[in-house]
Amino acid sequence: MAYDSNNIFARILRGEIPCRKAYEDDHVLAFHDIHPQAPTHILVIPKGAYVSAADFGATASDAEIAAFTRAVSRIAAEAGVEGSGYRLISNHGPDSHQEVPHYHVHILGGRQLGRLVTPL
Ligand code: 5GP
């Protein structure tokens, strides 16, 4: 899938749409989800143009991948959910219901999150 530079997270990165920022460095931006599913619900995105986890894992540089992984851990710790626990979710493609086609990881915490997926 080609990257759509008009997706909502690309527009947030360009400053065209506001966000409640949680963290930023050279490679990464993190902000609070507009429809939080838990007391802590932060979205972590790379600044590079990657559609999803598959694209990021296959084509991002080692520096981007390292920065992203370290940022996720740091953001969760700074959000105060490292002790109580948290869940990382990254949706890729139609079966996952990925809504925004710019790679992102959800950090969810601050409550009991239940089972990994809803039983069928
Ligand atoms: P996905 O289903 O793609 O994994 O998750 C996309 C997430 O982006 C959803 O949880 C949704 O609430 C969030 N989202 C969509 N549009 C916006 C927006 O304009 N601002 C923020 N902060 N979050 C958004």
Side-chain angles (χ1 to χ4, degrees):
M1 183 198 236
Y3 184 80
D4 170 12
S5 58
N6 279 322
N7 77 75
I8 201 93
F9 293 172
R11 298 184 66 198
I12 286 174
L13 279 168
R14 291 196 295 269
E16 295 169 8
I17 292 176
C19 69
R20 187 155 74 91
K21 192 188 296 184
Y23 175 82
E24 183 169 16
D25 65 26
D26 288 348
H27 293 296
V28 177
L29 178 67
F31 49 90
H32 295 268
D33 197 289
I34 203 165
H35 294 126
Q37 304 297 310
T40 294
H41 188 171
I42 297 171
L43 301 168
V44 187
I45 71 173
K47 289 187 172 176
Y50 302 102
V51 175
S52 71
D55 187 16
F56 187 71
T59 64
S61 68
D62 290 354
E64 288 173 295
I65 291 171
F68 191 85
T69 303
R70 292 194 189 285
V72 168
S73 303
R74 176 175 170 176
I75 294 159
E78 288 179 359
V81 293
E82 191 173 286
S84 53
Y86 60 88
R87 181 171 293 158
L88 305 180
I89 295 175
S90 185
N91 292 316
H92 163 79
D95 277 357
S96 74
H97 289 266
Q98 180 180 3
E99 179 189 323
V100 180
H102 181 112
Y103 175 48
H104 53 282
V105 167
H106 300 249
I107 301 175
L108 292 148
R111 68 166 172 83
Q112 277 289 327
L113 294 166
R115 294 172 64 91
L116 184 57
V117 293
T118 308
L120 292 174

